[in-house]
Amino acid sequence: MCGICGYIGTKTIDSSVLWKMNNTMYHRGPNDGGIWQHQEEDIEIGLAQRRLSILDLSELGHQPMFSADKRFVIVYNGEIYNFLEIRKELERDGYKFLSNCDTEVILYAYAKWRNKCFAKFNGMFAIALYDIENKKLTLARDRVGKKPLYYYFNNGQFVFGSELKPIMMYPYFEKVVDKDVINHYLCNKYLVAPLCIFEHTYKMIPGTILEYQNGKISKTTYWDVIEQYQSRSIQKHTDFQECMKSIDGILQASVSSRLVADVPVGTFLSGGIDSTLVTAIAQKVTESPVNTYSIGFYDKERNEAPYSAEIAKYLGTNHHEHYVEEKDIFELIDDLPKYFDEPFSDSSQLPTMLVSKYAAQDITVALSGDGGDEVFCGYKMYDWTWIAQHFDLCGALAYHFPGRKLLDEKLPPELRAFINNREKSTKTQLYIDVMIEEAEKLLGRSASNIKYVHEDRLNMRNWQERRMLLDMQTYLPDEILAKTDRASMKYSLEVRCPLLDYRIIEESFHIPHKYKYHHFEKKHILKEITYQYVPKELLDRPKKGFGVPLRKWLRTVLKDEITRYADATILRRQDIFDPEAVKELIAHQENSDKIMYSSMLWSFYVFQKWYQMYIEDLW
């Protein structure tokens, strides 16, 4: 686990600048750092890496790393869990290895198979490889987008990084906010790849390869979740017990491979299905008690710590429980723009940061339950998607009702969204219309282009399956995984996600949907697998979530700061938000408990704090 960055183009920079770029990511890799620069004719390339040592803690794992013939050089962030098998295959072909780390395996796998090597890797990664002979830079990102990778391409200059901070430090980077993406952020709380907050700057899409050569870039896809679904869902497994056995077997292998490290390892244990299953398997395949970590809240309505403790006791783990007060969460707000780099307003990032901070005191690697909801149908949204599909005819009748337009303004926005959901290519995105209405008011312009185009490729009849695939392409990598990556790497903690092993995702497409969503029971098959490890009575309860008291904060401790950010003079100079609309939003949030108001105001506040840190002093 590390942070990487680099550049290639016609401009030259001093090595001290490259070091500064690299050291903006010190938190991602405090154990070691390295840079390499090379100039040939009118092209200069620089590669840099910050290292968090996980495998082979010796100097042999130092990066940038070169092949024996000095033709290829690599910087890399992530873990390849099947690197030993690939290494054996390469050794049979005569490749010699000096280290015991996966970086060297990637290097020689690329030397042998070129871009075909990335499909061989089972892991999470952001990789940059340079072919000195052909003057070609190759970037690759893992299948589901566990590891981040940004790039900037403008005026012949190409710059990349695990975060935006090193890119912003590049002397020829033009830091211009892309105002066209702000509506996307306000509606979704994040920006989905390839969108980025700056012009000419992008996130690499998961499962893709980018090549830069002769001043041009080309992109290819080596793994696509929709294509995987379309090819594998043709053949469904019909026996429920066999499906359980198959997923359980892959998951045991997935957890086992993710426990391999030369540093202390543990698990996050929230007490929910996903983290419990991962922890239970980890304890099964480990001889000594697994270190487990959870945080508790003194607010009983949000506290799941007692459930985590019960499960830990049953499994026999070495459990660590840390109760936090509201002020502990609140104190992290100022760190959000620094570690998230671009506006990101899912408030669960705050408790995720706290549990990461707590765990990092003892361990360097943590296993989480991320991915279970998207792959096995676990979100409340999937209930609403089912309802929307089964009552869509009612919506169509209401839409064609002669007096519908006269009633539009009087209808609740949720009902209006349901009735107006007539576009076939965006059927599962109906409730985003509620946020679109608010964003249009706040920005004073249309936000009609918010909905994702991915759904055009999803022609299955079941809306739930369509929405799950859409979430796997958007919400999972750019919200869930981005949140976990930034929150954990703030404390130099690597988080691994066994449920997102690509073999589990591919196998899930062979499973009939009724085994995932069974008589309104979400994640049915995953629950049944979990009950083989932990008694049902320890898990059979509503999930409370991992939230923070946003409404309370916005009305009390944050009110004065928000009022300053909402000053009409400031907003007119900033030229992004409509001053009157912001004023109205604050009033709505003050007098209403509707989530859309608190969510939109929090997103406005987070954006302003980001703008204050990176663009200009608003005061």
Side-chain angles (χ1 to χ4, degrees), residues 52-114:
L52 177 63
S53 302
I54 302 292
L55 292 169
D56 192 342
L57 310 185
S58 73
E59 293 182 359
L60 294 174
H62 177 79
Q63 297 182 38
M65 182 181 289
F66 293 84
S67 59
D69 61 5
K70 303 300 181 182
R71 175 177 173 177
F72 302 105
V73 57
I74 182 175
V75 288
Y76 148 66
N77 168 28
E79 302 290 345
I80 305 300
Y81 304 117
N82 63 335
F83 80 98
L84 288 176
E85 299 97 279
I86 297 172
R87 174 174 172 151
K88 290 177 181 177
E89 185 176 354
L90 290 167
E91 285 176 330
R92 287 195 294 268
D93 288 340
Y95 287 90
K96 306 294 183 182
F97 291 86
L98 299 176
S99 73
N100 293 313
C101 67
D102 53 355
T103 308
E104 194 175 11
V105 173
I106 298 171
L107 190 59
Y108 287 117
Y110 181 78
K112 178 176 175 58
W113 295 298
R114 297 298 192 270

Side-chain angles (χ1 to χ4, degrees), residues 1 7 49 106 184 292 329 376 439 496 614:
M1 180 65 68
Y7 68 94
Q49 189 242 22
I106 298 171
H184 291 264
T292 52
I329 309 174
F376 292 99
R496 301 173 176 179
Y614 290 111

Side-chain angles (χ1 to χ4, degrees), residues 321-526:
E321 182 180 272
H322 182 63
Y323 271 74
V324 298
E325 297 181 3
E326 191 174 302
K327 67 178 182 65
D328 298 320
I329 309 174
F330 186 80
E331 288 171 354
L332 292 172
I333 291 177
D334 286 341
D335 282 342
L336 294 182
K338 180 179 179 180
Y339 290 98
F340 280 79
D341 283 356
E342 60 181 345
F344 185 98
S345 59
D346 176 358
S347 59
S348 67
Q349 64 201 135
L350 296 167
T352 304
M353 290 162 74
L354 279 177
V355 72
S356 298
K357 178 181 179 180
Y358 179 48
Q361 296 174 7
D362 305 321
I363 61 176
T364 309
V365 175
L367 273 59
S368 84
D370 287 340
D373 289 317
E374 291 85 358
V375 180
F376 292 99
C377 198
Y379 289 128
K380 183 67 177 177
M381 172 54 72
Y382 301 145
D383 287 325
W384 289 113
T385 304
W386 187 95
I387 293 169
Q389 179 171 11
H390 286 78
F391 289 90
D392 189 48
L393 179 59
C394 297
L397 293 173
Y399 181 80
H400 292 290
F401 181 71
R404 191 260 308 174
K405 291 186 178 180
L406 296 175
L407 294 174
D408 251 7
E409 293 302 317
K410 298 180 180 180
L411 294 174
E414 295 85 357
L415 182 57
R416 196 158 59 243
F418 169 71
I419 292 173
N420 293 332
N421 186 36
R422 300 302 104 211
E423 176 57 52
K424 291 182 180 180
S425 64
T426 57
K427 278 293 188 181
T428 73
Q429 302 175 61
L430 70 166
Y431 292 113
I432 195 67
D433 289 342
V434 176
M435 301 305 291
I436 289 175
E437 286 187 15
E438 291 304 311
E440 288 181 334
K441 294 175 187 175
L442 206 59
L443 296 171
R445 59 181 183 273
S446 173
S448 59
N449 64 335
I450 296 302
K451 295 186 179 182
Y452 300 126
V453 298
H454 306 75
E455 210 172 333
D456 277 337
R457 299 173 59 202
L458 306 174
N459 55 11
M460 64 285 298
R461 293 181 179 179
N462 188 310
W463 288 16
Q464 278 185 337
E465 290 183 282
R466 287 171 62 175
R467 182 57 190 248
M468 288 165 64
L469 287 166
L470 183 67
D471 286 343
M472 279 186 246
Q473 281 207 312
T474 58
Y475 183 71
L476 176 63
D478 292 305
E479 205 280 1
I480 297 295
L481 297 181
K483 172 186 67 180
T484 301
D485 175 82
R486 307 310 190 279
S488 60
M489 290 310 296
K490 177 183 188 299
Y491 303 102
S492 306
L493 177 72
E494 172 175 302
V495 176
R496 301 173 176 179
C497 307
L499 285 165
L500 288 175
D501 189 304
Y502 78 94
R503 297 170 300 174
I504 291 177
I505 297 174
E506 291 178 356
E507 182 64 18
S508 76
F509 296 151
H510 290 299
I511 297 174
H513 187 68
K514 63 182 180 181
Y515 293 166
K516 303 171 190 175
Y517 192 78
H518 183 69
H519 299 306
F520 292 97
E521 180 188 31
K522 296 183 287 294
K523 292 196 291 194
H524 174 60
I525 189 169
L526 211 60

Side-chain angles (χ1 to χ4, degrees), residues 4-7 13 17-18 20-25 139 148-154 157-176 196 198-204 341 614:
I4 63 173
C5 66
Y7 68 94
I13 66 171
V17 176
L18 184 55
K20 287 178 182 178
M21 292 169 61
N22 198 31
N23 288 339
T24 62
M25 303 181 293
L139 305 183
L149 193 54
Y150 293 87
Y151 67 93
Y152 170 77
F153 184 48
N154 189 31
Q157 307 308 303
F158 184 90
V159 193
F160 68 90
S162 295
E163 298 182 357
L164 280 174
K165 282 186 281 291
I167 295 176
M168 286 188 272
M169 287 292 293
Y170 181 67
Y172 305 104
F173 173 70
E174 297 178 7
K175 191 164 61 175
V176 180
C196 179
F198 295 120
E199 291 184 359
H200 308 296
T201 313
Y202 312 91
K203 300 184 189 79
M204 269 192 67
D341 283 356
Y614 290 111

